[in-house]
Amino acid sequence: MSQSSAAPTSPIVEVPSIPAREIAPWALFFGLLGLLVLFFISADQGAVSIPSGNAIHEWVHDSRHLLGYPCH
Ligand SMILES: [Zn+2]
């Protein structure tokens, strides 16, 4: 067993670089998904609901108030 006085080397971590063209479709997808979620939280009142009724409005009611959207 050899003994060395050198400090242990830290592992080399390589951060992968992802080209913007590969990220663009995912950014668009999650951007649209975010807009859909924002629509349900901010504007869904039952009149333009995708499923009719007030169910989604009730589910996101607290977050609507938390984000300061006018409600009731
Ligand atoms: Zn409310």
Side-chain angles (χ1 to χ4, degrees), residues 61 65 71-72:
H61 192 229
H65 282 270
C71 184
H72 55 83

Side-chain angles (χ1 to χ4, degrees), residues 20-63:
R21 344 180 72 144
E22 289 182 24
I23 285 186
W26 290 101
L28 181 68
F29 173 70
F30 284 108
L32 290 175
L33 207 62
L35 285 177
L36 188 68
V37 168
L38 194 61
F39 165 76
F40 280 127
I41 291 174
S42 64
D44 186 278
Q45 291 276 11
V48 288
S49 292
I50 292 173
S52 64
N54 263 351
I56 292 178
H57 177 83
E58 296 299 329
W59 291 339
V60 298
H61 192 229
D62 289 344
S63 55

